[in-house]
């Protein structure tokens, strides 16, 4: 009989619901602690749970403490050395080939964007390759066959510049063939360095079968695509303004530019004297005072090339009188006040008129006498900066070129390949660098002509050559282009069907394509694939057809693209074509000297690498700079070739930055070398060896969709996370020793409630982990992992079950129940972090006592859970008991919970029935409820005892139970009464449940006696 009166029992229907909470078929229910609920944070706080010390007492050999050879910590060189050993034992290098040989239905293709073969591996490489490897390992474990062929971008300016800088002055005496050979050797050496690093990071691939853009078969495939596009009319040669790098002496594409936000230009305000007034303004202006159009430019060196002044027909313009000089100016009406302020004067507005009224007017050129600059309408004129009238130099601006095309203006370029004014610029300017002394001279010429109103320095974003880090110019020259106007519409429609992560990247890429007027694919260098065209020696004609291209492709397939420079011209042409154009002795054509843009090189990689007839990858994954680079070039070439996008999904990551968000540079001393991260630096007290898994954890946990910071503090935090995970794994491994899941497992319905509850949480955890990997949200994977192994396992579950694990009989079903849960937790946990931490996962697998061959987590599939684990009612039942437990532990801060007994008083009703199922006896030291409460003894009552001593602690709380969607609702109050234990400390389990200090408690006596 319980203390107090026997309460009336609840109805049978309600009682059935309560009992089902802990039964095999759980009803969805909702049981809550009124106030803020704690569903996932269950750390044991306040008190301590003192457990048997194995080094004290005669019973230490009877306590089943964890047994495993798995190290709690790997110190110093142990971490990298262990990883290398794991790679060898687990067959890291053979894993890719093994999975390719499996007979599975699905295939996952991640196409590797080729890094440049121009330097040592850096953290940017690590970020990119590790992200790809995590995705590949996940999809492989899920059952897909992975297609991933690593590649390298081997041609182009980055490598050629490195080679030329190493050669120094000697480079002037090297032939094109010699430079190409040096560049090839340099690229090969860089590839080997990078490849070794990628292997050490644990990247899964067939490293003996990579793709290289200097491979002769790759080059041949590229030339075939080039001709296909030429044959469709998509490739053409024209004289157009392009981004030009004087420091590299070549044209550049938009993707080869870097924008320097701190560039300083000399901006000027210039007068263009009105020569012939527009007819509609003739009466307004009259002949009394000179009138000038006001123009602003940040590039004074382009003024000599001016061919027109453009206006916006739909905007309003004003004729104003300057208070300082008395001169008459024309400028946009919206700019009158701001320009007057800049010129430190005031303007009196004489008249305002529509821009269209400027039609048919002309101006005098400000520095070239007798030269006329017409006033022309143009839609690119804006009012955001300047005067609303735009200086137009067709040789030095994309929009200017469009205006010149419409109005047949001259497009002569006065600047050579080195960025120097040509002789045609006149004696004052010839041989002067346009960005330096050339600008000085132009400004002085304007001053002399009295057409300079003001000069000021302007700090703004300006394009620089991405390799030489020097400013570029826009300069007209004859180049090869892809007509992307005919491709863009289709490309943008196809992009809408591609999944972008993050989603904002899709619009960013579309906007970049919209801003791109054309794609210049020719480069004036030697290290690359030649544009397979022959130019007439005296006429502006070129030769390319199906016969010439097939002949060249065959030569390239056999010997590589060096043949363009090593073979005489007559050997580069097929005999039938050669005979038609004068024969070998009177050949009037010479091989062109341009090579293809490296973005065309890498943009054709899908055609060489991707499998199947469709040649569409499941995923492209690169940095955000590739939105205007490889993502775009691959798309444009694929659409031009087959009218399809080459990818189904695109994941875009940010750049790596220093701890404070600054760019990495040697001068700042914040460069992080991946090799030093893994193996340590010269002073390992300052630069310890972290191993590859720390690098991989850093990549995974970072918010890679923005900029990614890396520093010693970030790496230390990653190492600490993995150390905590190791401790969790060691506990799991040590406590499944002697357990065989096949013979010792307990059916889920017969397990302890807390063990069933952990399986319930485990299934939810596994589901969320899988979905996060599926969405490539590896940062969420890490957050879920960290929360699970710290809060759910280490702080909560492990602290509760230690007594049952260590002190019960080895084969006790209660202990086996716990081990069943631990084995499942271990399996799910290892698989959940395996794609991120492959070395640790394989190390763990080698220490699981019951795992047989293959001892590899990656060869045994993804997470497997059971639907019977899902029991929402258990979650609520355990939460209610934990709330009472937390009340108890919070009342004895810093003290040993085993030194206390607890009485729980719950008024009659549903909550009492739920808690009663955890303890059928009135008082128990071995019940499920007592295990959760963590006291030495727990008593469950419906009424408070009549006699309570003065030294007790009384706590109160209220629960609102909500079952079956609200059909059953009941609010119940409870009391937790805490009092010192009344019995003696058991010398084996250290609970205060023994009758005397030298006697075992009944549970321990049974266990020891049974042994």
């Amino acid at each position: 009989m319980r203390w107090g009166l026997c309460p009336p029992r609840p109805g049978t229907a309600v009682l059935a619901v309560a009992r089902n909470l802990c039964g095999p078929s759980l009803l969805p229910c909702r049981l809550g602690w009124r106030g803020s609920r704690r569903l996932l944070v269950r750390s044991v706080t306040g008190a301590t749970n003192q457990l048997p010390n194995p080094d004290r007492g005669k019973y230490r050999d009877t306590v089943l403490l964890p047994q495993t050879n798995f190290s709690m910590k790997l110190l110093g060189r142990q971490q990298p050395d262990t990883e290398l050993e794991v790679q060898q034992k687990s067959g890291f290098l053979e894993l890719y080939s093994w999975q390719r040989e499996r007979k599975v239905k699905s295939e996952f293709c991640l196409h590797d964007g080729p890094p440049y073969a121009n330097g040592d591996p850096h953290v940017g490489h690590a970020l990119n390759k590790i992200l790809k490897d995590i995705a590949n390992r996940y999809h492989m474990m899920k059952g897909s066959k992975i297609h991933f062929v690593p590649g390298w971008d081997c041609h182009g300016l980055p490598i050629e510049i490195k080679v030329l800088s190493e050669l120094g002055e000697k480079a002037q005496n090297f032939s094109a063939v010699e430079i190409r050979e040096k560049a090839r050797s340099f690229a090969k050496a860089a590839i080997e360095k990078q490849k070794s690093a990628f292997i050490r990071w644990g990247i899964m691939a067939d490293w003996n079968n990579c793709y290289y853009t200097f491979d002769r078969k790759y080059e041949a495939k590229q030339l075939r695509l080039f001709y296909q596009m030429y044959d469709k009319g998509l490739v053409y040669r024209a004289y157009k303004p392009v981004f030009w790098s004087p420091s590299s002496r070549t044209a550049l594409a938009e993707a080869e530019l870097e924008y320097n936000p701190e560039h300083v230009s000399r901006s000027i305000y210039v007068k263009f004297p009105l020569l012939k007034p527009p007819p509609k303004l003739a009466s307004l202006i009259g002949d009394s005072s000179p009138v000038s159009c006001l123009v602003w430019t940040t590039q004074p060196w382009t003024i000599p090339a001016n061919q027109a002044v453009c206006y916006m027909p739909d905007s309003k313009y004003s004729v104003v009188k300057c208070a300082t000089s008395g001169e008459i100016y024309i400028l946009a009406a919206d700019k009158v006040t701001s320009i007057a302020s800049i010129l430190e004067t005031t303007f009196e507005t004489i008249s305002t008129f529509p821009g269209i009224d400027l039609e048919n007017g002309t101006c005098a050129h400000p520095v070239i006498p007798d030269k006329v600059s017409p006033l022309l309408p143009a839609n690119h004129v804006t009012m955001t900066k300047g005067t609303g009238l735009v200086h137009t130099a067709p040789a030095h601006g994309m929009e200017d070129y469009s205006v010149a095309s419409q109005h047949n203006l001259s497009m002569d370029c006065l600047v050579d390949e080195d960025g120097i004014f040509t002789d045609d610029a006149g004696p004052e300017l010839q041989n002067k660098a346009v960005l330096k002394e050339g600008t000085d001279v132009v400004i002085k010429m304007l001053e002399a002509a009295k057409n300079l109103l003001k000069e000021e320095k302007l700090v703004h974003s300006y394009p620089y050559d991405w390799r030489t880090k020097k400013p570029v110019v826009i300069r007209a020259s004859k180049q090869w282009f892809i007509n992307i106007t005919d491709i863009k519409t289709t490309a943008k429609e196809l992009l809408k069907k591609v999944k972008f992560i993050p989603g904002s990247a899709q619009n960013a890429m579309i906007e970049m394509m919209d801003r791109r007027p054309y794609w210049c694919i020719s480069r004036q260098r030697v290290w690359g694939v030649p544009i397979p065209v022959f130019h007439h020696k005296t006429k502006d004609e070129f030769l390319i057809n199906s016969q010439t291209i097939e002949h060249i492709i065959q030569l390239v397939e056999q010997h590589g693209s060096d043949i363009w420079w090593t073979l005489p011209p007559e050997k580069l042409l097929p005999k039938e074509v050669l005979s038609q154009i004068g024969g070998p002795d009177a050949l009037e054509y010479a091989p062109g000297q341009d090579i293809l843009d490296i973005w065309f090189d890498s943009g054709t990689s899908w055609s060489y690498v991707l499998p199947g007839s469709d040649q569409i990858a499941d995923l492209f994954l690169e940095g955000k700079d590739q939105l205007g680079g490889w993502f775009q070039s691959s798309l444009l070439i694929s659409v031009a070739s087959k009218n399809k996008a080459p990818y189904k999904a695109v994941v875009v990551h940010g750049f790596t930055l220093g701890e404070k968000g600054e760019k990495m540079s040697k001068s700042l001393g914040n460069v992080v070398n991946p090799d030093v991260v893994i193996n340590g630096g010269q002073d390992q007290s300052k630069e310890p060896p972290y191993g590859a898994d720390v690098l991989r954890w850093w990549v995974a946990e970072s918010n890679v969709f923005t900029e990614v910071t890396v520093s010693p503090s970030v790496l230390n935090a990653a190492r600490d996370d993995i150390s905590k995970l190791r401790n969790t794994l060691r506990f799991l491994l040590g406590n499944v020793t002697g357990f065989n899941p096949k013979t010792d497992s307990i059916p889920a319905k017969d397990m302890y409630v807390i063990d069933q509850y952990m399986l319930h949480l485990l299934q939810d955890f596994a589901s969320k982990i899988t979905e996060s990997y599926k969405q490539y949200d590896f940062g969420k994977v890490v957050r879920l992992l960290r929360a699970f192994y710290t809060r759910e396992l280490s702080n909560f579950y492990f602290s509760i079950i230690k007594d049952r694990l260590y002190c019960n009989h080895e084969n006790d079903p209660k202990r086996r129940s716990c081990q069943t849960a631990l084995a499942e937790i271990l399996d799910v946990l290892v698989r959940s972090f395996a794609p991120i931490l492959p070395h640790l996962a394989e190390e763990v697998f080698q220490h699981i006592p019951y795992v047989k061959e293959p001892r590899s987590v990656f060869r045994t599939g993804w997470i497997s859970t059971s639907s019977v684990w899902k029991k929402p009612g258990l979650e609520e039942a355990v939460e209610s008991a934990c709330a009472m437990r937390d009340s108890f532990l919070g009342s004895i801060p810093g003290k040993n919970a085993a030194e206390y007994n607890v009485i729980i008083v719950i008024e009659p009703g549903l909550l009492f029935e739920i808690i009663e199922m955890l303890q059928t006896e009135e008082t128990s030291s071995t019940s499920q409820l007592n295990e959760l409460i963590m006291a030495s003894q727990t008593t469950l009552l419906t009424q408070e005892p009549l006699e309570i001593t003065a030294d007790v602690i009384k706590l109160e709380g209220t629960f609102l139970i909500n079952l079956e969607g609200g059909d059953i609702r009941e609010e119940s109050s409870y009391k937790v009464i805490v009092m010192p234990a009344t019995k003696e400390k058991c010398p084996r389990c250290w609970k205060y449940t023994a009758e005397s200090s030298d006697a075992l408690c009944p549970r321990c006596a049974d266990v020891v006696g049974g042994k």
Side-chain angles (χ1 to χ4, degrees), residues 625-787:
D625 55 330
Q626 300 308 319
L627 290 170
W630 186 63
F631 294 150
Q632 197 172 128
S633 64
S634 299
L635 174 69
L636 293 173
I637 294 171
S638 179
V639 171
S641 174
K642 58 180 183 173
N643 227 32
K644 292 180 180 178
Y647 36 67
K648 297 175 185 176
V650 171
V651 171
V652 185
H653 64 77
F655 299 140
T656 52
L657 301 174
E659 187 171 20
K660 297 176 182 176
E662 73 282 8
K663 284 188 176 182
M664 291 191 175
S665 68
K666 290 179 180 177
S667 60
L668 292 174
N670 64 349
V671 173
V672 176
N673 183 339
D675 182 64
V676 173
V677 171
I678 293 171
N679 296 308
Q682 291 183 345
D683 183 352
Q684 299 209 344
S685 64
K686 295 180 179 178
E687 295 178 316
Y690 291 103
D693 272 358
V694 164
L695 199 63
R696 295 177 67 101
W697 184 267
W698 158 71
V699 169
E701 78 165 335
S702 300
N703 181 6
V704 298
F705 306 130
T706 60
E707 310 303 14
V708 183
T709 59
V710 60
S711 64
S713 63
V714 170
L715 295 171
N716 282 334
R719 180 182 59 186
D720 291 345
D721 282 342
I722 296 175
S723 294
K724 292 171 185 174
L725 177 57
R726 282 193 76 91
N727 286 339
T728 302
L729 293 165
R730 191 168 187 269
F731 182 91
L732 289 164
L733 288 167
N735 283 294
V736 293
T737 301
F739 176 77
N740 185 338
K742 291 183 178 179
T743 58
D744 299 332
S745 290
I746 302 295
K749 64 183 177 60
D750 299 330
M751 292 170 69
Y752 250 40
V753 167
I754 187 63
D755 302 333
Q756 292 185 53
Y757 171 68
M758 290 309 297
L759 294 184
H760 165 75
L761 292 184
L762 190 64
Q763 192 195 52
D764 183 60
F765 166 76
S767 175
K768 289 176 179 175
I769 284 282
T770 302
E771 182 61 24
S772 298
Y773 273 114
K774 185 179 176 182
Q775 298 301 324
Y776 305 107
D777 192 349
F778 307 139
K780 187 173 183 180
V781 172
V782 169
R783 291 192 297 275
L784 288 167
L785 272 165
R786 192 188 287 125

Side-chain angles (χ1 to χ4, degrees), residues 710-966:
V710 60
S711 64
S713 63
V714 170
L715 295 171
N716 282 334
R719 180 182 59 186
D720 291 345
D721 282 342
I722 296 175
S723 294
K724 292 171 185 174
L725 177 57
R726 282 193 76 91
N727 286 339
T728 302
L729 293 165
R730 191 168 187 269
F731 182 91
L732 289 164
L733 288 167
N735 283 294
V736 293
T737 301
F739 176 77
N740 185 338
K742 291 183 178 179
T743 58
D744 299 332
S745 290
I746 302 295
K749 64 183 177 60
D750 299 330
M751 292 170 69
Y752 250 40
V753 167
I754 187 63
D755 302 333
Q756 292 185 53
Y757 171 68
M758 290 309 297
L759 294 184
H760 165 75
L761 292 184
L762 190 64
Q763 192 195 52
D764 183 60
F765 166 76
S767 175
K768 289 176 179 175
I769 284 282
T770 302
E771 182 61 24
S772 298
Y773 273 114
K774 185 179 176 182
Q775 298 301 324
Y776 305 107
D777 192 349
F778 307 139
K780 187 173 183 180
V781 172
V782 169
R783 291 192 297 275
L784 288 167
L785 272 165
R786 192 188 287 125
F788 189 73
Y789 72 72
T790 55
R791 296 201 302 244
E792 307 298 349
L793 297 181
S794 296
N795 293 348
F796 174 64
Y797 186 54
F798 292 173
S799 63
I800 291 170
I801 60 173
K802 286 176 182 176
D803 178 74
R804 185 163 31 126
L805 277 173
Y806 299 170
C807 298
N808 280 20
H809 192 278
E810 182 177 10
N811 297 320
D812 188 328
K814 296 175 183 177
R815 185 170 184 273
R816 292 304 193 198
S817 169
C818 186
Q819 287 183 304
T820 302
L822 291 178
E824 297 288 6
I825 290 168
L826 177 60
D827 188 75
V828 170
L829 188 62
V830 174
R831 295 182 198 282
S832 68
F833 68 72
I836 296 171
L837 305 175
H839 302 92
L840 179 59
E842 293 290 46
E843 184 189 355
V844 171
F845 239 63
Q846 290 168 12
H847 285 85
I848 298 177
Y850 45 78
V851 167
K852 307 303 178 187
E853 296 299 330
R855 296 182 76 89
S856 169
V857 66
F858 294 104
R859 300 179 191 229
T860 52
W862 186 237
I863 295 169
S864 177
T865 60
S866 171
S867 60
V868 301
W869 294 358
K870 192 69 177 174
K871 296 181 179 180
L874 275 185
E875 182 174 292
E876 308 294 356
V878 173
E879 286 296 334
S880 63
C882 285
M884 298 173 191
R885 186 274 313 272
D886 288 351
S887 294
F888 158 52
L889 296 179
S891 71
I892 54 166
K895 296 181 180 178
N896 179 12
E899 295 177 0
Y900 295 87
N901 292 342
V902 170
I903 299 172
I904 294 175
V905 182
I906 305 174
E907 63 184 23
L910 186 52
L911 178 59
F912 180 85
E913 298 296 340
I914 291 170
I915 297 299
E916 189 181 37
M917 289 172 188
L918 299 175
Q919 181 168 303
T920 55
E921 303 165 88
E922 184 175 277
T923 300
S924 177
S925 61
T926 57
S927 69
Q928 297 187 55
L929 178 60
N930 190 66
E931 182 181 61
L932 278 166
I933 297 297
M934 299 174 65
S936 277
Q937 178 179 286
T938 300
T939 298
L940 177 62
L941 302 173
T942 57
Q943 289 186 357
E944 190 175 325
L946 297 175
E947 295 181 6
I948 299 178
T949 57
D951 56 351
V952 303
I953 303 169
K954 293 176 68 173
L955 308 159
E956 295 185 1
T958 306
F959 280 91
L960 175 65
I961 302 170
N962 188 351
L963 297 176
E964 295 189 330

